[in-house]
Amino acid sequence: MTKKILSALLLVCSLYLHASAQKDSITISGIVTDFEGNAKDSAFVEIKGREFGKESMYETYSDSDGRYSLKVKKGKYLALASMKLCEYPKSNSQLSHEDMRLEFWAWNVIAEDDMVLNIHYHRLEIYGITVFKIEGASPGYTIYCRPMSLSKYYSNPDKPIDDTDLCTDPDLLDVKVTINGVPVKINMKQKVKEYVSNGICNGYLLHVDAPKELSKKGCDIFRIEMTDLENGDKGEAVYFKEKDGYQ
């Protein structure tokens, strides 16, 4: 076999492998901002696999305009998280309470096509979202989540965090939910107790209407925004609701 033929074969193989890799991967991109639309540069963006405690599967940082981009293998991931690490209380204990922030979360991330996922975060973290339907009950979706307010925590600085209720009461919690970008009606907000390994914490059950039309893709995207009306803390999170029969 001549060198020219061998080089040509190697080039063909390289192009095939590159095309195959492109077919098996997608790009998640967007802009990281605060709730006033100001760009967050150097914000950490990471994707976690199904084992939460392990290192990030993919990670990057936003640029000076707040833009980020991650090329990932197609599939399902536990979560995507983001914030500027120097604003996180555990990373920077010298930061003033007013300048501290908590992270944005997207849960059950289904990466099947290129997507734009814009990120907003402030001082209220919406953690551990689960979305489900109750069989035989009113149409719509039930959402569980755990909203945690920084201001609520620092209002009792001498009290152990395990004994601090970080969730505001329902009449002081403003909630907005969209499904695939369409606002839906909030039918119920109920504060509930959640068991955790070191005791009890507080979360929320929400019930929302189903939209008139759902996505034709393998999942529907729920975006939840909350504001603690008592202290102004805001937060946002996303949940990818997998459709029955999705593979």
Side-chain angles (χ1 to χ4, degrees):
M1 184 179 294
T2 67
K3 288 185 178 181
K4 286 186 177 180
I5 295 175
L6 180 59
S7 296
L9 287 173
L10 289 173
L11 178 60
V12 170
C13 288
S14 176
L15 291 173
Y16 173 79
L17 290 172
H18 179 73
S20 178
Q22 292 288 101
K23 186 177 179 181
D24 292 337
S25 63
I26 62 101
T27 299
I28 302 174
S29 60
I31 304 175
V32 186
T33 69
D34 61 20
F35 279 86
E36 284 69 51
N38 300 306
K40 290 283 188 177
D41 66 287
S42 306
F44 184 54
V45 183
E46 63 172 331
I47 291 183
K48 289 184 170 293
R50 289 292 160 183
E51 294 187 51
F52 188 85
K54 287 197 171 183
E55 293 182 356
S56 307
M57 294 189 69
Y58 303 95
E59 59 186 52
T60 190
Y61 289 87
S62 62
D63 65 16
S64 58
D65 295 319
R67 298 182 182 278
Y68 76 94
S69 181
L70 281 168
K71 195 171 192 66
V72 307
K73 185 177 179 181
K74 286 185 178 181
K76 293 181 283 187
Y77 300 92
L78 177 66
L80 179 150
S82 179
M83 73 171 301
K84 200 167 181 174
L85 296 179
C86 63
E87 297 174 328
Y88 192 53
K90 289 184 179 180
S91 300
N92 188 356
S93 59
Q94 304 303 312
L95 199 64
S96 69
H97 294 172
E98 292 75 19
D99 293 329
M100 291 178 177
R101 299 290 182 265
L102 291 176
E103 61 263 53
F104 164 94
W105 287 95
W107 293 96
N108 197 43
V109 177
I110 296 177
E112 57 180 11
D113 295 300
D114 291 348
M115 75 171 88
V116 175
L117 183 62
N118 291 326
I119 292 168
H120 311 89
Y121 70 88
H122 186 242
R123 293 173 57 83
L124 191 148
E125 176 182 347
I126 306 175
Y127 189 79
I129 298 177
T130 303
V131 178
F132 56 97
K133 281 190 172 184
I134 299 176
E135 298 298 334
S138 297
Y141 294 95
T142 298
I143 302 171
Y144 175 80
C145 61
R146 192 195 302 167
M148 297 181 287
S149 161
L150 261 179
S151 295
K152 290 278 286 184
Y153 172 65
Y154 283 112
S155 65
N156 295 288
D158 298 325
K159 195 173 184 180
I161 191 167
D162 296 341
D163 297 330
T164 302
D165 182 2
L166 303 181
C167 291
T168 195
D169 293 331
D171 58 343
L172 292 173
L173 184 68
D174 180 66
V175 181
K176 295 181 176 66
V177 177
T178 64
I179 303 177
N180 304 321
V182 179
V184 292
K185 181 184 175 185
I186 311 291
N187 298 313
M188 182 196 75
K189 296 183 292 184
Q190 182 180 358
K191 194 173 179 179
V192 296
K193 298 287 187 182
E194 178 192 349
Y195 172 77
V196 291
S197 58
N198 55 354
I200 298 294
C201 72
N202 293 278
Y204 262 86
L205 282 175
L206 310 172
H207 188 275
V208 303
D209 280 350
K212 293 180 180 179
E213 292 186 15
L214 293 175
S215 166
K216 295 180 181 179
K217 296 183 178 181
C219 66
D220 295 299
I221 301 177
F222 289 66
R223 185 176 288 266
I224 303 164
E225 181 183 321
M226 293 182 169
T227 303
D228 187 326
L229 299 176
E230 187 175 26
N231 52 46
D233 289 2
K234 293 178 179 289
E236 186 181 74
V238 167
Y239 183 85
F240 291 71
K241 176 73 171 68
E242 186 176 315
K243 292 183 177 177
D244 294 337
Y246 172 80
Q247 295 182 355

